[in-house]
Amino acid sequence: FVTDTQPNNLSTLLHKKWDSPALSHPFTPKRFTDFLLDIGEDLISTQSDTDTVHAEDVKQFEGHVLLVEDNSINQVVASQMLSSMSISFEVAEDGQQAVTKMINSPHYDLILMDIQMPVLDGYEATREIRKQGFNDVIICGLSANAMAQDKQKASQAGMDDYLTKPVKLGQLQAMLSKYLQPKEPN
């Protein structure tokens, strides 16, 4: 929740009723960033029992990923997950930025591509990346849409895999293990 500062106890009341984090407005950019990071940690730690991955069980991978996501909260959460698996990554905030990054510096092992974005959506960005000749890079679609036709549409656009949002650490780890090499222990 993002609330006004008045009444003073509004954040406390919301937290008691729904056990959700709250941020009072106005806030500084640093407080907002800290709030987003806290939410990301909460989302990772409150995964369902079937998808729980304990810190000692998180696999480490070799690879460089392009995260294409327009939502800042989803960026923070995905970034934390990738970092926890020792994966280096860059962020593009829309499909056009993703295409530009691929053309200018095609050194990505995998692309996590949000489907619904402004400027150029994930389907069009994927088609353009494939049209530019980048057929070896793995592209995984990310969407809240979980219907079979959504996955089929992603495949037809040239995506190799598909994850349904909200993406959970265990799901991401399982998908990455299909395409990236495990990191050698030091």
Side-chain angles (χ1 to χ4, degrees), residues 105-121:
S105 186
H107 60 282
Y108 303 102
D109 299 300
L110 189 136
I111 299 173
L112 294 173
M113 180 76 73
D114 185 22
I115 299 294
Q116 296 176 335
M117 294 179 290
V119 184
L120 196 63
D121 71 20

Side-chain angles (χ1 to χ4, degrees), residues 74-169:
N74 291 343
Q75 286 176 7
V76 170
V77 173
S79 295
Q80 286 186 328
M81 288 184 198
L82 292 170
S83 293
S84 74
M85 293 181 273
S86 298
I87 296 173
S88 65
F89 63 94
E90 294 176 37
V91 176
E93 295 190 3
D94 60 57
Q96 186 59 57
Q97 283 184 11
V99 171
T100 302
K101 283 181 179 270
M102 279 302 297
I103 291 170
N104 292 336
S105 186
H107 60 282
Y108 303 102
D109 299 300
L110 189 136
I111 299 173
L112 294 173
M113 180 76 73
D114 185 22
I115 299 294
Q116 296 176 335
M117 294 179 290
V119 184
L120 196 63
D121 71 20
Y123 300 123
E124 288 300 317
T126 298
R127 284 187 197 96
E128 186 60 30
I129 288 168
R130 297 301 189 210
K131 184 176 156 187
Q132 294 293 325
F134 301 109
N135 297 315
D136 293 336
V137 66
I138 302 299
I139 302 178
C140 177
L142 304 174
S143 178
N145 301 328
M147 303 296 287
Q149 62 262 30
D150 298 311
K151 294 177 184 181
Q152 182 179 6
K153 188 175 178 182
S155 178
Q156 290 169 343
M159 294 181 187
D160 301 288
D161 215 323
Y162 191 89
L163 290 176
T164 305
K165 291 181 181 180
V167 176
K168 295 180 179 169
L169 184 59

Side-chain angles (χ1 to χ4, degrees), residues 15-71:
H15 185 70
K16 282 181 183 176
K17 185 163 181 148
W18 285 289
D19 193 27
S20 296
L23 178 65
S24 294
H25 194 275
F27 46 81
T28 64
K30 170 135 178 47
R31 278 196 58 221
F32 181 67
T33 301
D34 292 344
F35 179 72
L36 291 177
L37 291 171
D38 288 344
I39 289 173
E41 289 172 6
D42 289 346
L43 288 174
I44 290 170
S45 66
T46 59
Q47 295 172 354
S48 70
D49 290 339
T50 60
D51 191 58
T52 299
V53 177
H54 300 286
E56 64 273 8
D57 296 332
V58 175
K59 294 179 183 174
Q60 307 296 296
F61 296 99
E62 298 282 345
H64 190 60
V65 170
L66 178 59
L67 171 62
V68 188
E69 173 64 65
D70 64 316
N71 181 288

